Structure formats: C-alpha cells, structure tokens
Amino acid sequence: MEVQIEDSWKQVLAPEFEKPYFKKLVDFIKSERQQSILYPPGPLIFKAFEACPLEQVKVVIIGQDPYHGPGQANGLCFSVSDGQKLPPSLQNIFKEIHRDLGKPIPTSGNLERWAQQGVLLLNATLTVRAHSPGSHQHQGWEIFTDAVIQVLSATQLQLVFLLWGSYAQQKGSIIDSRKHLILQSPHPSPFSAHRGFLGNSHFSKTNDYLTSHGKSAIDW
C-alpha cells in the first residue's frame, strides 16, 4: 500500500502498511471521511514524521489523539496551529517549562519548532472525528504507533521518552529502558497536572540527559 510518509520512516515502517490491520484502518478512515469531518486534514496526518525524520529523533512525546475542534489539530501532539487559543494541557506544559527553565510562555501553541530540533510529537491515534474525542481509537492506529515506538527503541540510542498520563505510560513496556531514558508523570490536563506534572522538571532532565550523551539540548 502506498502511504505518503517521510522517506526515512517509510523505509522502516513499510511492512506495517502491508498488514491486514492497516488496510482495515485505511478503509475505516475512508468510510469516516465520507460521512464526517476528520482532524487533522489529510495532508497533516503524518506531519509528526515529516517534521522529525527518524535519524533526527532525540525526544519522543506521546499524546492520545488529535484535538477535535476546527483548526486545532496540526498533526503534532499537544500542538495547535498558529492563531489558535492555547488548549489547557498545552498551557500547563508551558507553565512547567517556565517554572523549570525560566523561559517565557509563548503566545503560539505551534510546536513545530520542537519537532525541527528532534522532538517526535506522536499521538497514539492519528485521526479523530470532529467534536468526538477518542472516536478513532481501537481502529488500528495504536498498533501502528506501537510499531513506531518499537522501531525507535530498537534502532536508536539514548532517546528520551516523555510519558505523561496512564495512556502514554502503557507504551512504556515496549521501550528498552537500558538504552533510553523514560520519564513518567501525570498528564498535563487540568484534571491531573497538579498531581505531579507541574513540578516534574522533565524539560531540564531531558536536556541534562541529552547533553550528557553528547547531544544538543532542546530549546523548549
């Protein structure tokens, strides 16, 4: 099956595109698109991979599914397009960066600048029906993104995986903790951020790990 995805990722993920689950997933997306509005727009579904080729990945942040409101989802987890209001979880992420590193809180929630530095902003589910959170879960995307994480764990060295909340933490079992740093905390959602996300210092810890292994720090 021909899937439009960045070349370095295409090489390692090509076997997934031929598996029955992926073909069923494509059929599901096509059917959904005929009767509903889906986010993000088709050209942005694999934006996380385009913005951060495999060999450039240093950090992996795992989200749940895309934002489901008009104009929000841009293919990068937790990120919104320029001009969009900052969602509550992203506000808390910026608050923690400010507390941890003293950086000013940005006015734009577009995180493409992180991706360009080697942060893979990966949602576990890459599409969603408008105004219906979780509507594309358990259709095959999670199998695909598990494969992405397994490829990263197996082929790369000294990555940092940021697992916020129980949903992301389920992915921890397929990451080799002997080769990579796994940082876990509650989710930055307003419902849980005060139970340990705020104050987790994950951004400075990430940079300390990267620089200790000869990699450049992320300008958060």
Side-chain angles (χ1 to χ4, degrees), residues 200-214:
N200 66 17
S201 300
H202 278 187
F203 304 96
S204 60
K205 289 175 181 176
T206 293
N207 282 348
D208 289 346
Y209 181 83
L210 292 175
T211 55
S212 73
H213 289 92

Side-chain angles (χ1 to χ4, degrees), residues 112-172:
E112 192 162 356
R113 61 190 178 83
W114 292 4
Q116 291 168 348
Q117 297 177 74
V119 182
L120 181 66
L121 294 159
L122 181 67
N123 277 314
T125 304
L126 298 188
T127 55
V128 70
R129 194 184 312 134
H131 312 297
S132 184
S135 51
H136 285 188
Q137 292 177 11
H138 312 302
Q139 298 294 335
W141 277 130
E142 294 91 343
I143 303 172
F144 175 72
T145 51
D146 277 359
V148 171
I149 293 165
Q150 287 168 333
V151 162
L152 286 165
S153 179
T155 66
Q156 307 300 301
L157 289 172
Q158 284 111 34
L159 303 183
V160 182
F161 290 85
L162 300 180
L163 307 182
W164 299 331
S166 58
Y167 190 90
Q169 288 162 15
Q170 292 170 14
K171 304 283 192 185

Side-chain angles (χ1 to χ4, degrees), residues 24 29 31 57 97 119 154 179-180 194 198:
K24 280 182 65 177
I29 298 294
S31 173
V57 176
I97 292 170
V119 182
K179 295 168 59 180
H180 307 287
H194 292 279
L198 296 171

Side-chain angles (χ1 to χ4, degrees), residues 94-103 197-202 204:
F94 287 161
K95 282 179 187 175
E96 177 54 21
I97 292 170
H98 175 69
R99 188 208 64 80
D100 187 16
L101 298 171
K103 291 188 171 292
F197 176 82
L198 296 171
N200 66 17
S201 300
H202 278 187
S204 60

